[in-house]
Amino acid sequence: MSHQIVVCGAGIVGLSTALALARRGQRVAVLAPRTAVPAADPNRYHPRVYAISPASQRFLADLGVWDAMPSGRLMPVEAMEIHGDADGQVNLNAWQAALPQLAWIVESGEIERVLIQAVRMFGIPWLEDRCTGYRDGEIDTESGARIQAELFVGADGAASPLRTAAGMKHDAVSYEDTGLVVHLDAERAHHGTAIQWFRDDGVLALLPLPDTADGPQVSMVWSMRNEPAQALLALPPEEQAARLETLLAQAAEGRLGRLKVRSKLHGFPLTLERAQMVAPGIALAGDAAHRLHPLAGQGLNLGLGDVEALARTVAGREPYRTAGDLRVLHRYQRARAEPVLAMRLATDGLHKLFASHATPLVWLRNAGMHWVEKAPLIKRRLIAGASAN
């Protein structure tokens, strides 16, 4: 089989890549097993949620998928509270930057559902297969087929089979932390505020979600050291829920009243990863290209930024160049170098800063938070930087 562009992966980044390229007049196909997204339940939310920045929201709107998501499943974030591990605190509000909201909290399943529908409506071919090998500009698949294309896009996740098969360079460093995610019933209303605590034992975030029949709801993302996280994950469900609620009562300082577990607890390893983004006939996007600490919630936003830059660069190439021309792909790589590096340095730097227990650093980071809290200009710049990703 021969195609102009083949996108490997059918997650949010893969499907949005295929749609963005197709909308710019490129002949594209998706290579991935088909996934069924269950119908939305009014009182049950997908375990993985994302903080979608204004830039990502505009991109999804340009793809024609944002308005297809039910408004009742979208939660605007109007404010953020960031607590240090002493008395430092920073409060960010959308009005400080003349914005209607800082971000939207959206379920992974809702974004995937509308993207699948859009890909089908656009008539984009879907090859239900998996990449198992790569050589000389051809992909070998699980079914034994061989696929040729001018350009293969690896949007197939952090473990990227395409990246591995093509032998592209990839570096990964473990944070020795586990990301724990679960949805919680809250006793008090969150008022559209995302709350984060930088603690000496990890980073805890409570993200606002739409209310359920049981009242206010938040999504927890807790970056916890591996040993206590794995011990928590190993407990029987009832004991696990009781233990987690006890830990939250202490860590969240009663900010939202009592927090009660309402979904299954999930855990995933946290790593800092960087890969060779391009090679002749290959471009990587999203987690296949880079992976960051989730403390800033910018992973998917960076991935969607990759998609937008790749689609714009490939569609805007000279008529005499192919989609996989390395000169074209280097333009994509250069376009993404600065935003990816800036976010990598920011998230890794914050993690290292708050991971240290040295007394001077404890004082310095909390004093810095006090200073930022009193500096409206700095707050506006922080909001503008996060909004642009």
Side-chain angles (χ1 to χ4, degrees), residues 5 7 9 11-30 59-66 68 111-126 153 304 307-308 311-312 315:
I5 304 173
V7 177
I12 294 172
V13 172
L15 294 173
S16 59
T17 301
L19 191 58
L21 286 165
R23 289 178 65 90
R24 287 178 175 265
Q26 306 303 297
R27 292 182 292 106
V28 61
V30 173
F59 175 59
L60 292 172
D62 289 343
L63 290 183
V65 299
W66 182 262
I111 306 175
E112 290 173 6
R113 180 181 293 106
V114 296
L115 281 170
I116 289 171
Q117 292 170 351
V119 164
R120 288 174 180 166
M121 289 178 64
F122 227 80
I124 297 172
W126 192 312
V153 179
L304 292 176
V307 174
E308 187 172 20
R312 182 178 63 249

Side-chain angles (χ1 to χ4, degrees), residues 36-51:
V37 179
D41 183 324
N43 288 301
R44 189 177 299 274
Y45 281 68
H46 194 279
R48 173 166 287 185
V49 300
Y50 293 108

Side-chain angles (χ1 to χ4, degrees), residues 119-204:
V119 164
R120 288 174 180 166
M121 289 178 64
F122 227 80
I124 297 172
W126 192 312
L127 314 176
E128 297 186 54
D129 215 332
R130 298 176 190 269
C131 168
T132 58
Y134 176 86
R135 56 181 177 176
D136 302 325
E138 296 181 343
I139 276 182
D140 294 321
T141 71
E142 194 173 60
S143 69
R146 182 167 294 174
I147 301 173
Q148 297 177 332
E150 293 178 11
L151 172 64
F152 291 100
V153 179
D156 44 356
S160 182
L162 176 61
R163 184 190 67 212
T164 302
M168 298 174 73
K169 186 178 179 181
H170 172 246
D171 300 317
V173 178
S174 173
Y175 279 112
E176 302 300 329
D177 288 347
T178 297
L180 299 176
V181 296
V182 69
H183 295 335
L184 307 165
D185 288 322
E187 186 177 12
R188 298 176 187 164
H190 50 63
H191 300 295
T193 301
I195 312 168
Q196 190 169 40
W197 291 265
F198 284 89
R199 298 165 46 83
D200 57 7
D201 59 353
V203 183
L204 168 65

Side-chain angles (χ1 to χ4, degrees), residues 39-45 72-73 107 210-214 217 262:
D41 183 324
N43 288 301
R44 189 177 299 274
Y45 281 68
R73 309 288 289 203
E107 300 159 86
D211 291 353
T212 69
D214 297 319
Q217 177 189 202
R262 66 173 288 116

